Amino acid sequence: DIVLTQTPLSSPVTLGQPASISCRSSQSLLHSDGNTYLSWLQQRPGQPPRLLIYKISNRFSGVPDRFSGSGAGTDFTLKISRVEAEDVGVYYCMQATQFPLTFGGGTKVEIK
Amino acid sequence: EVQLVESGGGLVQPGRSLRLSCAASGFTFDEHAMHWVRQAPGKGLEWVSGISWNSGSVDYADSVRGRFTISRDNAKSSLYLQMDSLRAEDTALYYCAKDKATVIIVPDYWGQGTLVTVSS
């Protein structure tokens, strides 16, 4: 199975400041069809997960443009340009390049 | 508006069975793959199983393969998860999720979940 390792585990951030989360894969996420099926999800406290980014850098419907994704191969990054109070929660990367789908362990974003 | 409503969770003894259901609305059900994802109390997300739009492709996490069976009824816009030989480690909140595509790519909308507790 593909293992996704997220860093940091926790990210205390000042409101209005940027935040960055890394996701490293145990093997390349480039699919034979040319796509890289790496996504980012947000889970606010007490809520189900919400899709933010798919295929590395595509923002999902309704997601603010302060969220951006980048990377290739085995190294990926989610960036929040200016953290707002509503961004508090746990962020997960997820791969669907190879079955079974796997998630990273999660990164908790909290306000300082 | 996409709505996914899970049901069927509850308290069950180890070794027994449970069947989860997910009622979908607000989108064309038979044009999307579907997923079950679980989250143990205080833990991260674990993908359990996925099924393509026409049930032609299904897959499972190693931890449930051979014990759980995913299925769908497109006529009823419903997704199911038959869980047999349940273990304590299957205790979790089980989410139903819709995929963006007809095949398994990424879950884009999620239900609120149904809680399964396996305990004697």
Side-chain angles (χ1 to χ4, degrees), chain B residues 5 8 11 21-22 42 46-47 60 62 64 73 89 91 97 112-113 119:
Chain B
V5 180
L11 175 62
S21 299
C22 172
E46 180 187 17
W47 183 78
Y60 301 92
D62 292 342
V64 306
D73 185 336
E89 53 265 36
T91 294
Q112 292 295 316
S119 174

Side-chain angles (χ1 to χ4, degrees), chain B residues 12-83:
Chain B
V12 61
Q13 293 180 327
R16 304 297 290 262
S17 298
L18 208 57
R19 189 193 194 208
L20 304 185
S21 299
C22 172
S25 61
F27 65 100
T28 306
F29 186 73
D30 62 7
E31 291 183 357
H32 294 271
M34 297 293 294
H35 305 260
W36 288 102
V37 178
R38 68 185 181 184
Q39 187 168 35
K43 301 296 184 182
L45 301 170
E46 180 187 17
W47 183 78
V48 172
S49 183
I51 186 168
S52 63
W53 67 283
N54 63 353
S55 305
S57 175
V58 301
D59 200 29
Y60 301 92
D62 292 342
S63 58
V64 306
R65 192 184 307 275
R67 300 188 299 122
F68 289 12
T69 303
I70 191 171
S71 62
R72 63 189 294 160
D73 185 336
N74 286 346
K76 295 183 178 179
S77 295
S78 294
L79 177 72
Y80 306 101
L81 186 67
Q82 177 66 40
M83 304 187 295

